[in-house]
Amino acid sequence: MSGRVVAAGAVALAVVLALTLGTIVAVFVRAEGVGGFDPADWAALRFTVTQATLSAALSVALAIPVARAIARRRFVGRGALVMLLGAPFILPVIVAVFGLISVFGRSGWVSQSLMAFGYEPISIYGFHGVIIAHVFFNLPLATRLVLQGWLAIPGERFRLAAALGFTSRDIARHLERPMLREVLPGAFLVIFLLCLTSFAVALALGGGPRATTIELAIYEAFRLDFDLGKAALLACVQFGLGAAVAIVALRVALPSGFGGGLDRAVQRWDQRGPLRTALDASWIALAALFLILPILAIAFDGIGALATLPSQVWTSAARSLGVAAVSVIVTLLLALPIAAWSVTSGSKLVEGLGTLTIVASPLIIGMGLFIVINPFLDPFALALPVTALVNAIMSLPFALRALVPALSQIETQYGRLADSLGMSGTARLRRLWLPRLARPLGFSAGLAGALSLGDLGVIALFASPDTPTLPLQIFRLLTSYRMDDAAGAALVLLALSLAVFWLLDRGGRVNVDG
């Protein structure tokens, strides 16, 4: 293992640990004291655990029939639907919230339809609004994860099942349930952790103290009370919750034991019959409508307001693009050395430490950075660079999950040849790794750019009135009831996020397929 790989990986990992654990220490040191939990904090803890558990459970439970239907059906537009399942994950939270309000709000499409039939309109604010938003974001992710499990069952197992005369119930018992036992704990864990650190959804749809997450309580402790001790304590509780859930999920998951196959096309003999066909079609249609309607609402409401958008929206958009560009660069500069060190050393610990940020509080990271910066520089003048850095850190786990398996495969296939040629250091990086990592690097860059563009976290704490990013500008327009301008700005942010992801992801594929 090259000493340069170890050094670069160690530096990158040290940065990650400093930003995750070091910032909590900085906030604790700056705090004048650490008190206990008051009733509001306990309420926030209960709400966070309840909504995260229910959101993850609903997302995973609904993903099972949707993924099963997609896995065993072939239909026109199947590939496009699978691609659509990735869209909500890169959708800016504030944009998705706007779309959900347009569909499920008191003046939304669903309420208008209910009122036409004499029923009361529904409200998306409060506990059920947070759940709806989290399921919208995470149902596609859960479906993709479960779908991969279904597609990983070797086709020979289904051929053997057909030869043995298995019914649908037999196939579910012997093939599908063992796969789900392996896949579902991991899917639940990822979604629970994403909901555990929810901020923008609770800020926009929470509707009051009874719908406050821990992350939102951290924001209020700092912004309203400047109680750094409470903010750090809440961050530690959130971190501990995430770690505990991860340990439990890893212990619950069991290998399916299917073994390998010959990569033959999967043929399903248990899918025949009009009732099963209609049921699968219903699940696919309902999932597609649930995902497409809010996006259509954003386009429908926003397209008419584009021509009259205030200049501040376009300035904020340019500012967000600059933040996203810095975030992409930092994400790749951290992810590649950590992935290289993890693969070349064979250590899962290195990758695990690199993904710590998935359970960290971005608000605490931002607070810690501002506390460290404050004695030397004006922290509010550095709001945008700090936001870019925090966004990069929060994108790191997803980049590592794309890079580590790809780099491991490269080393398995070409590592010994490269060693025999004396190829190491920068030569190995330029001639072996980078050309073959183009796809995962492009995907990681696109994901980091899209997530950074849509982030409404640290910038909500420290941005001055004159330097908002586009998500913060949309939030300000919503809270000032300038709904037409908010709709137009939301459409701009949606288009930018999708364009950035598409361009960077496509850039990673250029000259790769040829």
Side-chain angles (χ1 to χ4, degrees), residues 321-336:
L321 285 172
V323 170
V326 175
S327 181
V328 167
I329 294 171
V330 174
T331 299
L332 297 183
L333 287 177
L334 292 175
L336 190 56

Side-chain angles (χ1 to χ4, degrees), residues 40 199 203 208-209 212 215-228 230-231 363 367 460-462:
F199 172 71
L203 181 65
T212 297
E215 192 74 5
L216 185 54
I218 292 172
Y219 171 82
E220 292 172 348
F222 179 80
R223 190 67 182 264
L224 303 181
D225 305 323
F226 199 70
D227 190 342
L228 297 180
K230 177 179 288 187
L363 298 180
M367 286 182 213
L461 277 177
F462 301 108

Side-chain angles (χ1 to χ4, degrees), residues 64 162 168 306 440 475 504:
I64 293 173
S168 294
L306 290 178
F475 180 73
L504 293 176

Side-chain angles (χ1 to χ4, degrees), residues 434-474:
L434 290 182
R436 288 167 178 79
L437 286 175
R439 284 177 181 270
L441 283 172
F443 174 79
S444 300
L447 191 61
L451 293 177
S452 181
L453 267 173
D455 179 69
L456 180 62
V458 176
I459 197 67
L461 277 177
F462 301 108
S464 67
D466 300 327
T467 60
T469 58
L470 188 51
L472 183 57
Q473 184 68 38
I474 294 171

Side-chain angles (χ1 to χ4, degrees), residues 44 48 75 100 118 130 155 197 279 300 313 317 326 332 334 338 346 350 364 393 410 434 493 500 507 512:
T48 300
F75 52 91
L100 290 169
V130 173
T197 57
L279 188 60
F300 182 80
V313 170
V326 175
L332 297 183
L334 292 175
I338 293 175
V350 173
I364 286 293
I393 287 294
I410 292 170
L434 290 182
L493 182 54
V500 165
V512 173

